[in-house]
Amino acid sequence: MSAFPDVDALLEHRHIEDIDRHFAALIAERAGGAEEHLALATAILSRHTRNGHTCIDLKDIAGKHWPDKHDARGGRIKLPGFEDWLGRLAENSAVARVDGAASQPLVLDEAGRLYLNRMWQREKLAAIRLRELAGRETSGAADLEAALDELFEKDDPRLVLPRQAAHIAASRYLCCISGGPGTGKTYTVAKIIMALIRTGQVEASDIAFAAPTGKAAARLQEATRESLRKMHGGESLPEELAVEVSTIHRWLMKSDAERGLADVLIIDEASMVDIHLMSRVLKALPEAARLILLGDSHQLSSVEPGSVFADICGAARGPHSPLRHCVVNLEHNWRFDAESGIGRLAGTIKAGDAEATIHALEDLDTDSIRFENLSGSAGLDALAERFTEAHYAPMVNQFQSLADAGRLASLEHPFRHFMALCSHRRGPSGSERFNLRVEQNLSRRGLISGKEEFYIGRPIIVTRNDHRGRLANGDTGIVVNSGEAGAKVWFPDLREADGSVRLVTPQRLPPHESFHALTVHRSQGSEYDEVAVIPGPAESPVNTRELLYTAVTRAREKVVIHGEREAIKAATERETSRGTGLKDALL
C-alpha cells in the first residue's frame, strides 16, 4: 500500500504530474518518514509553482476539497484542516520558519504560506530591495519644475499623470508607470529622459534600457528614439540622445563595472518579468542607480512564477505602503478613446463584464471589432486555410520573387500588419496545429516543398537566447533568398553594427520554430494593425481575463475573435489569481 494514497489519487487523475509526486516523496524521505501531510503539501506546492505561483496559501485551500469543483476530472480529495496542517508542517524538519534558519527545502511564513526555499529567498530579496528604493529620494534639481513646465503643457489635463510620473522618476529611486497600450508610456519615458538630461541629473549614456524579449527591446528602442527625435525638433536624433535598448538578460550578462555605469535602469514590459528575473535585476542594480518600470498591470503575468509588476501596483494602493508615492497609472488613451471599438472591448474585458463584452463584439456599428463563430479542430483547420489564402501565400510569393537581398531595407515590415494569436500552444485550437495546417496548405498549393526546412518566406521565431549570435528569445525573422549565398534569415527588427540589415545563415540559428500564429504569451510586447484571436474551449483554465485583454490590445486597428460565445464569456469572468506573498510584503 502506498504511503501517500491522497497524493497518488491526485496523480491518477492528473491533477498533479509525476514530477510533483517524485518531489513530494523526496522531501518526505528527507524528513525521515511517511508523513502524508508533508507529501500532500509538497506535491500541491510543486504543481502550483509550475503554474506560476511562488507559494501556496494554506488558509485558502485547507479543509476544502481540492481541486475545486470547476475541475471536471474527478478524484478530488479533502485537504487537512488549517490548524492541524500548519502545526504538523511547522514541526517538520523539512520545513523552515522565516523567523529561524531558512536552510530547509521548504519555508513556512507567519501568514501560513508555504514556499520552495529558493522562491522564498527571491521574493524576500525583491521585497527588501523594492522597499529600499521606494524609500530613497534623489538630491533633486532646483530647475526640475521649470523643465517639466517646458515638457508638459500645463493646461492639458491629459498630461497631468505623465507629468506626475516624470516628477517621480526625477526625484525618487523607484518609479513604476502602468498603463494599457496607447496610454503613452513610451511618450512619458521619453519626456522623463529629456527632464533628467535637461536638469543635469544624467546623460543619455548613463541610462540603461532593457526589455524581457528581443522583440520588445527593438520596439522600445524604435519608439523611444522616434519620440525623442520629435521632442528635439530635428530631422534626425542627435548622438547624445541615441538610447540603446538590450534584453534584460544581456544587461545582466554585463560585468559589474559595465552595469555600474548606469545611473538609471528603465525596464519596459515589466509585467512579463518573473520573480527569478526581477530578483536578479534588483540584486545586480548598482547601489546609486534608480529603477523605472513600465508595464500594464492588467496584462498577463510572466510565464515563470510570480506577478511582480501587478503586486507592486496593487501594494501601492495601500495607504501605508512605502510604494504609494512611486506608482502612476496612466489613464488617457491616445490611440483610441474609451468609446471606440477596441477601447470599449478592452474596457469590458478588464472590468470582467462578460455580457458587455459579447454585446461589444456583436455591435454592427463598428468595423474595428468583430466576432466569428469557430468550434473545434475542424473550425481551426478551415480558418488556417482561409488565412493561408489571404495572408501567408501572398507573403511567401512576395519573398520568393525577391532575388536581391539588398532591397530588404526598403521593404515593409512583414509582421506588423496581421497576426493570428492562439490562447493555447497545443491541442485542437493551438498554435502548433495552426502552423502545421498553414504549411500543409502552402505545400498543397505548390508554394513550398515538404522536404525543404528553410523554404523562402518561412517566418521564424527564436526560442532560446543566443548571446554569441546576438539573437534573443522572441526575435522574429523570415527566410529570404540572398542570391549566391542561398537562403538566409532576415530579422527586420535587428540591425548590424554598421546599420545594415541583419541576415543570419540557417546553420547559425539557435533553437527556433515557424510561426504563422503565435500564442498570446509570445505576442506580449508586440503590436499589429489587425489581430485574429483564437481563444479555444470555454473550460480551459488558460483562458483568462488577462489573456483575452492582452490579445485584444495587441491590435492597433482591428480585432476579430474566432471562437464560441461561451468561451469568451468564461475568459472574461475568469480572473488570474497567482499565489505570492510579495504584495503583502510591500504593504
Side-chain angles (χ1 to χ4, degrees):
M1 181 177 175
S2 169
F4 312 122
D6 282 347
V7 175
D8 290 339
L10 293 175
L11 177 62
E12 180 184 352
H13 289 87
R14 310 314 299 175
H15 298 308
I16 63 173
E17 300 296 331
D18 289 320
I19 190 172
D20 307 319
R21 170 65 172 80
H22 288 309
F23 182 62
L26 178 67
I27 297 302
E29 181 182 348
R30 173 176 176 143
E35 174 58 76
E36 181 147 36
H37 280 67
L38 174 65
L40 191 56
T42 304
I44 294 174
L45 174 61
S46 175
R47 184 257 202 187
H48 274 55
T49 301
R50 287 189 298 101
N51 289 341
H53 306 266
T54 63
C55 61
I56 54 172
D57 192 332
L58 297 178
K59 293 193 302 298
D60 289 344
I61 61 174
K64 301 176 182 177
H65 283 89
W66 191 88
D68 65 26
K69 61 184 178 182
H70 298 295
D71 195 308
R73 287 173 291 183
R76 298 163 67 217
I77 63 167
K78 181 71 176 294
L79 297 178
F82 177 65
E83 295 297 338
D84 180 34
W85 209 0
L86 187 70
R88 292 202 187 196
L89 290 174
E91 294 171 358
N92 200 287
S93 61
V95 182
R97 297 302 297 261
V98 295
D99 52 1
S103 58
Q104 300 306 317
L106 306 179
V107 176
L108 186 64
D109 76 3
E110 302 93 333
R113 297 187 188 94
L114 186 67
Y115 291 82
L116 298 177
N117 191 300
R118 60 185 171 83
M119 207 67 72
W120 178 75
Q121 295 284 359
R122 286 164 188 172
E123 196 171 277
K124 178 184 176 184
L125 183 150
I128 290 172
R129 286 291 285 129
L130 287 167
R131 291 177 71 96
E132 285 176 352
L133 290 167
R136 292 173 62 190
E137 297 184 23
T138 67
S139 56
D143 52 354
L144 175 58
E145 293 300 331
L148 295 179
D149 286 342
E150 291 180 10
L151 291 166
F152 298 94
E153 294 181 29
K154 275 190 171 182
D155 297 331
D156 192 338
R158 301 171 299 177
L159 300 179
V160 171
L161 290 174
R163 178 182 174 127
Q164 181 184 337
H167 190 280
I168 292 171
S171 58
R172 307 190 76 91
Y173 274 77
L174 178 66
C175 176
C176 301
I177 304 171
S178 178
T183 53
K185 294 189 296 292
T186 303
Y187 164 88
T188 301
V189 83
K191 293 282 189 181
I192 288 171
I193 293 170
M194 296 295 287
L196 294 175
I197 292 173
R198 288 185 184 183
T199 56
Q201 295 189 48
V202 300
E203 296 179 358
S205 58
D206 302 322
I207 300 173
F209 263 83
T213 66
K215 178 182 285 291
R219 189 176 66 82
L220 175 63
Q221 178 165 300
E222 178 184 355
T224 305
R225 286 189 170 190
E226 178 62 17
S227 293
L228 287 170
R229 184 192 65 76
K230 288 180 180 177
M231 290 177 196
H232 187 263
E235 291 295 322
S236 59
L237 186 67
E239 185 62 33
E240 62 269 19
L241 292 178
V243 297
E244 297 291 337
V245 184
S246 73
T247 64
I248 297 173
H249 289 92
R250 284 173 184 154
W251 182 80
L252 286 168
M253 288 186 69
K254 292 181 177 181
S255 65
D256 290 343
E258 289 175 313
R259 289 197 302 267
L261 297 175
D263 290 327
V264 180
L265 172 62
I266 301 173
I267 296 180
D268 193 23
E269 298 292 347
S271 62
M272 298 170 64
V273 181
D274 59 76
I275 190 63
H276 302 300
L277 192 55
M278 184 60 78
S279 64
R280 289 178 61 195
V281 167
L282 290 165
K283 187 176 182 179
L285 187 72
E287 185 64 28
R290 65 188 85 175
L291 178 65
I292 300 173
L293 301 176
L294 311 173
D296 183 350
S297 61
H298 296 286
Q299 264 190 216
L300 278 167
S301 295
S302 54
V303 175
E304 297 299 319
S307 53
V308 179
F309 191 74
D311 286 345
I312 290 172
C313 295
R317 291 191 285 270
H320 305 295
S321 171
L323 275 66
R324 65 191 183 279
H325 301 305
C326 301
V327 176
V328 175
N329 294 287
L330 301 181
E331 296 173 356
H332 180 76
N333 200 300
W334 300 84
R335 187 183 305 162
F336 37 73
D337 63 45
E339 294 306 311
S340 70
I342 296 176
R344 188 152 49 91
L345 179 60
T348 62
I349 295 169
K350 193 163 61 173
D353 191 333
E355 293 300 328
T357 296
I358 296 298
H359 180 73
L361 283 169
E362 294 178 340
D363 183 359
L364 300 179
D365 292 334
T366 177
D367 294 328
S368 61
I369 58 175
R370 202 169 75 244
F371 166 77
E372 290 189 11
N373 190 66
L374 181 147
S375 179
S377 56
L380 184 86
D381 293 349
L383 191 66
E385 171 70 31
R386 203 171 104 201
F387 286 173
T388 301
E389 185 70 28
H391 300 288
Y392 310 124
M395 185 171 72
V396 170
N397 271 320
Q398 176 192 10
F399 282 95
Q400 288 185 348
S401 63
L402 182 73
D404 180 11
R407 291 178 51 205
L408 291 174
S410 62
L411 287 184
E412 275 194 306
H413 196 294
F415 310 129
R416 285 186 179 165
H417 293 303
F418 172 82
M419 186 57 64
L421 301 179
C422 299
S423 296
H424 302 79
R425 177 178 174 84
R426 298 180 177 88
S429 59
S431 60
E432 287 185 349
R433 181 185 181 96
F434 186 94
N435 288 324
L436 176 62
R437 291 293 181 263
V438 169
E439 293 194 329
Q440 290 173 340
N441 292 334
L442 292 171
S443 179
R444 199 160 48 243
R445 285 169 167 77
L447 291 173
I448 67 173
S449 167
K451 298 178 181 179
E452 188 178 8
E453 180 181 4
F454 292 98
Y455 60 84
I456 304 302
R458 178 190 175 194
I460 281 176
I461 185 166
V462 174
T463 58
R464 189 181 301 169
N465 292 329
D466 177 19
H467 302 292
R468 181 175 296 180
R470 294 180 295 118
L471 290 171
N473 185 5
D475 284 342
T476 53
I478 190 163
V479 179
V480 298
N481 184 355
S482 65
E484 293 182 2
K488 289 195 176 183
V489 183
W490 170 44
F491 288 89
D493 290 322
L494 305 179
R495 289 287 184 273
E496 299 292 358
D498 61 1
S500 60
V501 298
R502 185 79 189 279
L503 291 170
V504 178
T505 58
Q507 293 75 20
R508 292 181 176 271
L509 287 174
H512 59 275
E513 58 192 36
S514 296
F515 78 99
H516 296 91
L518 289 174
T519 61
V520 178
H521 270 100
R522 275 280 187 196
S523 74
Q524 285 183 275
S526 301
E527 293 178 353
Y528 311 96
D529 293 339
E530 180 181 344
V531 165
V533 182
I534 306 166
E539 63 273 15
S540 171
V542 169
N543 278 328
T544 64
R545 181 183 309 168
E546 291 79 8
L547 183 137
L548 190 57
Y549 169 83
T550 300
V552 164
T553 54
R554 297 310 89 204
R556 285 185 285 257
E557 298 173 6
K558 185 175 182 179
V559 175
V560 183
I561 299 184
H562 301 266
E564 297 177 306
R565 287 173 178 81
E566 289 307 311
I568 297 167
K569 287 181 179 179
T572 305
E573 293 171 347
R574 187 183 290 123
E575 187 174 13
T576 300
S577 177
R578 283 201 165 175
T580 85
L582 183 60
K583 178 181 173 181
D584 284 355
L586 297 173
L587 288 172

